[in-house]
Amino acid sequence: MRREFQTDLLEVGRLLVSMAEAGRVAMRNATTALLDADRAAGESVVARDAEIDALYRQAEEKVHQVLARQAPVAGDLRLVVTALHVAGDLERMGDLAEHVARTALRRHPAAVVPAELRPVVTQMAEIADRIAGKITTVLSAPDAIRAAELERDDDAMDDLHRQLFRILLGPDWSHGVESAVDAALLGRFYERYADHAVNAGKHIVYLVTGKQLT
Amino acid sequence: MRREFQTDLLEVGRLLVSMAEAGRVAMRNATTALLDADRAAGESVVARDAEIDALYRQAEEKVHQVLARQAPVAGDLRLVVTALHVAGDLERMGDLAEHVARTALRRHPAAVVPAELRPVVTQMAEIADRIAGKITTVLSAPDAIRAAELERDDDAMDDLHRQLFRILLGPDWSHGVESAVDAALLGRFYERYADHAVNAGKHIVYLVTGKQLT
């Protein structure tokens, strides 16, 4: 029973990592769509969100199976329920990548991000990708992820988010209202994506190692 | 056992309704802070978000207890897991109300919402309140909530959200970038609040009646 439970848990973990990988690819393509006005990249994100949603349903289904067949208690139960929260976070990451892609597509072929915002948006995308990447390596090397590291990434994202607002609300902004509104919403999408990724990362470490990151 | 399970489920339902009530009050006060530049109302939202978070932890704890003690299967298990999703939605609603309140506080005593946006923001707030209100009545009258009705509210919110963007991106906008960015983010907060409320509403009906709204 115990061994079976561990195997089930590992399978849940694998499904979650597949979701995280898909969510990472989605945000990468969304960023390409955004910064390179690449329509095909943007369309692939929109088209493939259904795959993330399907993985989400699989992960939920598997969790329900584990709960029903193994009736885990105490710490084991907590682990399984944690998996549901992670799945929810990862599903939202896919949605947020889709929001970025749709913003790029809506303005295509015009560039959404003006020159002076490119550095900050590029860095936000890099951090988003880095955090998502940590989730996908956790199965092979769970101890490689440290909570402090995730917090640092998250703090860096928050700094960039503030920097973005300083630029678009600053006296030198010359791109008008529409561009500022797009940039503000994009900033929020990346920031929320990173937030969900940090949550998911901490929880997956717990799921795989049984150790809580605090 | 069966009766005990029903009693537990009802208690989970009550905790969720308490969260929904607190989330409703929070958004009402946030709207007052926003439209009447009422600092005390805004501060109360920020101060009381911890109460919603505490209810969230209680609801999760209760769900864990039910899972561990009753080891429900099949439909019963699905009900219990549903409760976790609802709790997550309601917790986010509290956060979104806090975002609205913080936006109002940041600009205080200046008005955040220019005159031409007041009607649409007022309506968004009314719909948000109406949907949240439906969640809180579901325990006393579960059959009074219809999925079609929640969908209609949600569609109305989406229409208002689009209308808000048309105004702030329109040729007559004279309030500059900062005001437009605030309004765009506020629009998103109300829209997301309603989205979570609709999800929570449908799930709570399922939780209380066992009937799935589609």
Side-chain angles (χ1 to χ4, degrees):
Chain A
M1 190 70 162
R2 182 73 200 164
R3 169 157 308 188
E4 203 183 322
F5 177 72
Q6 296 290 1
T7 309
D8 281 342
L9 212 58
L10 210 61
E11 193 181 324
V12 171
R14 283 208 193 89
L15 278 169
L16 295 178
V17 169
S18 295
M19 284 185 79
E21 278 167 357
R24 186 187 194 190
V25 169
M27 193 52 116
R28 274 191 184 179
N29 283 331
T31 300
T32 302
L34 187 69
L35 295 178
D36 305 339
D38 182 333
R39 175 188 279 275
E43 284 169 348
S44 81
V45 178
V46 175
R48 294 182 64 184
D49 189 53
E51 291 173 26
I52 298 179
D53 293 345
L55 285 167
Y56 181 42
R57 281 188 298 274
Q58 276 179 53
E60 278 201 314
E61 208 44 58
K62 187 73 205 169
V63 165
H64 287 181
Q65 274 178 26
V66 176
L67 285 170
R69 287 188 197 152
Q70 316 258 1
V73 292
D76 285 350
L77 178 58
R78 228 161 261 274
L79 280 178
V80 176
V81 171
T82 292
L84 284 178
H85 289 295
V86 174
D89 278 321
L90 296 172
E91 193 267 337
R92 277 302 295 158
M93 286 167 66
D95 288 345
L96 290 160
E98 195 186 346
H99 287 339
V100 171
R102 283 191 188 275
T103 305
L105 290 172
R106 199 163 50 235
R107 304 283 176 238
H108 187 86
V112 184
V113 180
E116 62 263 54
L117 281 182
R118 285 185 75 90
V120 58
V121 172
T122 302
Q123 285 177 74
M124 288 178 98
E126 279 167 9
I127 293 179
D129 187 63
R130 190 160 73 218
I131 306 178
K134 284 176 186 171
I135 301 175
T136 64
T137 57
V138 71
L139 263 193
S140 50
D143 291 327
I145 299 196
R146 303 258 173 279
E149 208 178 294
L150 288 171
E151 293 295 349
R152 252 196 323 271
D153 288 336
D154 206 27
D155 289 347
M157 182 61 101
D158 289 344
D159 285 345
L160 288 166
H161 194 207
R162 277 189 290 272
Q163 195 179 320
L164 179 128
F165 274 84
R166 270 199 303 278
I167 297 171
L168 65 87
L169 298 177
D172 299 332
W173 184 259
S174 61
H175 306 284
V177 168
E178 184 159 12
S179 193
V181 165
D182 275 346
L185 291 173
L186 285 168
R188 195 163 161 81
F189 298 151
Y190 280 105
E191 186 268 331
R192 294 296 305 145
Y193 180 96
D195 208 42
H196 285 292
V198 166
N199 276 337
K202 287 184 188 174
H203 282 135
I204 287 196
V205 171
Y206 175 51
L207 202 64
V208 175
T209 66
K211 277 176 269 176
Q212 189 103 51
L213 294 184
T214 47
Chain B
M1 189 70 163
R2 182 72 201 166
R3 169 158 307 190
E4 202 183 321
F5 176 73
Q6 296 290 1
T7 309
D8 281 343
L9 213 57
L10 210 61
E11 192 180 327
V12 172
R14 282 208 193 89
L15 278 168
L16 296 178
V17 168
S18 295
M19 285 185 78
E21 278 167 357
R24 186 187 194 190
V25 170
M27 193 51 115
R28 274 191 183 179
N29 283 331
T31 300
T32 302
L34 187 69
L35 295 178
D36 305 340
D38 182 334
R39 176 188 279 274
E43 283 169 348
S44 81
V45 178
V46 175
R48 295 183 63 185
D49 189 53
E51 291 174 26
I52 298 179
D53 293 344
L55 285 168
Y56 181 42
R57 281 189 297 274
Q58 277 180 52
E60 279 202 312
E61 210 43 61
K62 187 73 204 170
V63 165
H64 288 181
Q65 274 177 26
V66 176
L67 285 171
R69 286 188 198 153
Q70 316 259 1
V73 292
D76 286 350
L77 177 59
R78 227 160 261 276
L79 280 178
V80 176
V81 172
T82 293
L84 284 178
H85 289 295
V86 174
D89 279 320
L90 297 172
E91 192 267 336
R92 277 303 294 158
M93 287 166 65
D95 287 345
L96 289 160
E98 194 186 347
H99 288 339
V100 171
R102 283 190 188 275
T103 305
L105 290 171
R106 200 163 50 235
R107 306 281 175 241
H108 187 85
V112 185
V113 180
E116 63 263 54
L117 281 183
R118 284 183 76 90
V120 58
V121 172
T122 303
Q123 286 177 72
M124 288 178 97
E126 279 167 8
I127 294 180
D129 187 62
R130 191 161 71 218
I131 306 179
K134 285 177 185 170
I135 301 175
T136 64
T137 57
V138 70
L139 263 192
S140 50
D143 292 327
I145 297 196
R146 302 258 173 280
E149 207 177 295
L150 288 170
E151 292 296 348
R152 251 196 322 271
D153 288 336
D154 206 27
D155 289 346
M157 182 62 102
D158 289 344
D159 284 345
L160 288 166
H161 194 208
R162 276 189 290 272
Q163 193 181 324
L164 178 129
F165 273 84
R166 269 198 304 277
I167 297 170
L168 65 88
L169 298 177
D172 298 332
W173 184 259
S174 60
H175 306 283
V177 167
E178 184 159 10
S179 193
V181 165
D182 275 346
L185 291 174
L186 285 168
R188 195 164 161 80
F189 299 151
Y190 280 106
E191 185 270 330
R192 294 294 306 146
Y193 180 95
D195 208 41
H196 285 292
V198 165
N199 275 336
K202 287 185 189 175
H203 283 136
I204 287 197
V205 170
Y206 175 51
L207 202 65
V208 175
T209 65
K211 278 177 268 175
Q212 188 102 50
L213 292 184
T214 48

